[in-house]
């Protein structure tokens, strides 16, 4: 009995409880204290090294330094947005990662060397297209073939209905506010649905300059803020939809447009994602994405189809024809996961610094513009929600794709899908942005040309 008591006392003596060693405590800090995905000690070290380069008056724009720079600032802005009360759950991380850098540049709070190096790196490398091609190919390769076919066939109808309703509502609100119909449609509503900056605002400004006999710079200055405000509205709505999906799970497929019952048989044969692909498989998945994008570039030269859209069609064809082995499909999915978690916020920071003019966004913040833009985007998204539900799709996921119809092109798609936590919808977002925007611009300029004749 005494032995039992002695052993009991020895076992529970607080003096004998081992405390974590210094090494274990350091490892705990490295593994649990993070800014975004960056361990706090590495984040502090990155900031110190960047500061030393800035004090020296030169920050190299090579990929090694820029990886650290974009990661430091991008995850810092994203983390700040995530921690904001209430709005942190409504897409504030993507908004902050894009628009805080833009404001810092405008007010001169970001060192000039950081601005110059980031802009030079972003524009010389076209890193956004590497990001988009890896996201698109990875998400397509992870889709079920039946879901892929049904999703592409059905998504066009909610998109078309959304655009029609959005235009009608926007026109109605604008007329009620006393704006001119021509101004409402061609300089507010159409820029919102034009497909971003490169594929939307710039072609529109060129068309307006030719048809309306105005300077292209003036036309672009009137169009671009509407594109940005429309994209900002879409980001906020996408974040709200994500929260709605958490509250009402039956309304969302968490990145899937079609309910599982529509593809129950095919799901059985779908290879499971293990997350244990070897290095060579991952490298092959990345190469597949790059080569498909190069095919898209070739298609652009031959027939004028935007390279991301051409790549999208090529990836769908590979998937439908079983052109990639299950092992290669898994490699593509790992690449997709890597870019989604590690590259999104750095990319958004670069976008904010290099191509997001803060002063133009602020100048467009008038009450009438905001009311027309918010009503247009909200009605477009709401129509996508209800039409998607009516035809048997997940309404929240369809609505988030509808948000991308009013985004800032590829960069807008990234921000909107990040806010909605639905990056797997990137292929459908690209259809909404690239194809939908191109159709809107072409038809509208054709109508404008005939109207002025």
């Amino acid at each position: 009995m005494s032995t039992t008591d002695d052993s009991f006392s020895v076992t529970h003596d607080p003096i004998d409880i081992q405390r974590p060693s210094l090494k274990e405590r350091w490892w705990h800090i490295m593994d649990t204290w993070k800014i975004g995905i960056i361990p706090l000690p590495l984040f502090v070290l990155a900031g110190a090294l960047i500061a030393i380069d800035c004090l020296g008056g030169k920050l190299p724009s090579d990929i090694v330094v820029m990886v650290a720079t974009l990661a430091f600032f991008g995850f810092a802005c994203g983390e700040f947005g995530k921690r904001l009360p209430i709005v942190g759950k409504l897409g504030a991380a993507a908004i902050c990662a894009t628009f805080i850098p833009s404001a810092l540049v405008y007010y001169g709070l970001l060192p000039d060397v950081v601005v110059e190096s980031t802009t030079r790196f972003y524009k010389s490398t076209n890193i956004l297209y590497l990001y988009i091609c890896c996201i698109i190919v990875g998400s397509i390769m992870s889709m079920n073939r039946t879901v892929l076919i049904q999703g592409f066939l059905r998504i066009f109808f909610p998109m078309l209905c959304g655009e029609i309703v959005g235009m009608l509502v926007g026109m109605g609100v604008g007329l009620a506010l006393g704006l001119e119909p021509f101004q409402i449609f061609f300089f507010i509503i159409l820029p919102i649905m034009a497909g971003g900056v490169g594929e939307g605002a710039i072609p529109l400004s060129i068309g307006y300059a030719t048809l309306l006999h105005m300077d292209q710079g003036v036309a672009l200055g009137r169009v671009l803020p509407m594109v940005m405000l429309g994209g900002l509205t879409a980001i906020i709505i996408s974040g709200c939809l994500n929260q709605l999906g958490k509250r009402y799970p039956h309304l969302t497929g968490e990145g899937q447009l079609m309910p599982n019952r529509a593809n129950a048989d095919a799901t059985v044969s779908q290879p499971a994602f293990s997350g244990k692909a070897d290095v060579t498989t991952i490298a092959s998945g990345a190469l597949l994405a790059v080569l498909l994008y190069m095919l898209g570039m070739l298609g652009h030269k031959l027939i004028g189809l935007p390279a991301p859209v051409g790549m999208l069609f090529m990836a769908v064809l590979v998937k439908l024809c079983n052109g990639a082995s299950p092992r290669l499909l898994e490699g593509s999915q790992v690449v997709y996961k890597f870019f989604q978690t590690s590259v999104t916020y750095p990319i958004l920071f670069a976008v904010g610094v290099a191509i997001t003019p803060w002063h133009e966004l602020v100048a467009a913040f008038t009450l009438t513009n905001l009311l027309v833009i918010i009503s247009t985007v909200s009605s477009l998204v709401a129509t996508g929600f209800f039409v998607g539900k009516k035809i048997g799709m997940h309404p929240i996921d369809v609505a988030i794709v509808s948000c991308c119809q009013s985004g800032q092109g590829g960069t807008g798609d990234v921000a909107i899908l990040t806010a909605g936590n639905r990056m797997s919808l990137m292929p459908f977002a690209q259809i909404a942005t690239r194809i939908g925007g191109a159709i809107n611009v072409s038809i509208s300029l054709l109508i404008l040309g005939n109207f002025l004749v």
Side-chain angles (χ1 to χ4, degrees), residues 145-418:
R145 293 173 72 249
T146 306
V147 173
L148 189 61
I149 296 171
Q150 293 182 347
F152 273 102
L153 290 177
R154 292 197 189 187
I155 193 61
F156 288 100
F157 186 61
M159 286 168 48
L160 177 61
C161 294
E163 288 200 351
I164 294 172
V165 173
M167 289 178 180
L168 292 175
V169 171
M171 285 293 294
V173 172
L175 291 172
L177 294 171
L179 298 177
E180 296 180 0
F182 186 87
Q183 164 74 15
I184 299 169
F185 183 79
F186 287 101
F187 286 95
I188 301 181
I189 295 177
L190 182 58
I192 294 173
M193 303 181 187
V197 179
E199 297 84 358
I202 292 177
L204 269 182
S205 66
I206 295 172
Y208 290 168
T210 303
L211 297 172
L212 302 176
H213 307 291
M214 60 191 302
D215 184 79
Q216 185 192 346
V218 174
L220 185 61
R222 293 179 62 182
V223 166
L224 189 58
M226 306 306 164
V227 176
M228 296 174 62
L229 280 178
L232 178 59
T233 305
I235 293 170
I236 296 172
I237 293 176
S238 180
C240 295
L241 287 168
N242 182 40
Q243 292 304 308
L244 182 66
K246 292 179 179 179
R247 189 159 188 172
Y248 302 100
H250 65 282
L251 296 176
T252 179
E254 293 293 337
Q256 295 291 332
L257 290 179
M258 305 299 301
N260 287 333
R261 64 177 180 272
N263 53 87
D265 295 334
T267 303
V268 177
S269 60
Q270 183 77 359
F273 174 56
S274 67
K276 299 179 180 179
D278 58 54
V279 175
T280 57
T281 303
I282 296 171
S284 299
L287 183 61
L288 174 64
V290 171
L291 293 178
L292 289 175
Y293 184 75
M294 291 178 69
L295 285 173
M297 293 174 63
L298 180 61
H300 177 66
K301 291 179 181 179
L302 295 176
I303 60 176
L305 189 69
V309 176
M311 174 196 63
L312 189 154
F313 289 148
M314 292 291 181
V316 171
L317 183 63
V318 170
K319 177 68 175 181
L320 296 183
C321 297
N322 291 317
S325 66
R327 188 173 180 180
L328 185 56
L329 294 180
E330 187 162 8
S332 298
Q333 294 173 54
V334 175
V335 173
Y336 159 76
K337 287 288 183 182
F338 169 78
F339 274 83
Q340 179 189 17
T341 57
S342 305
V343 186
T344 299
Y345 291 112
I347 283 287
L348 291 176
F349 171 79
V351 167
V353 170
I355 62 171
T356 306
W358 177 257
H359 62 285
E360 294 185 3
L361 178 68
V362 173
F365 262 92
T366 64
L367 181 59
T368 52
N369 284 345
L370 285 174
L371 289 175
V372 173
I373 290 170
I374 292 172
S375 61
T376 300
V377 178
S378 299
S379 56
L380 185 157
V381 175
T383 303
F385 181 97
F386 290 110
V387 172
K389 185 177 181 181
K390 192 70 174 177
I391 63 176
M393 305 176 78
H394 289 298
I396 287 179
D397 302 273
V398 175
I400 290 177
V401 172
S402 298
C403 286
C404 296
Q405 293 178 260
S406 53
Q408 289 179 250
T411 57
D413 291 344
V414 174
I416 290 167
L417 297 181
T418 300

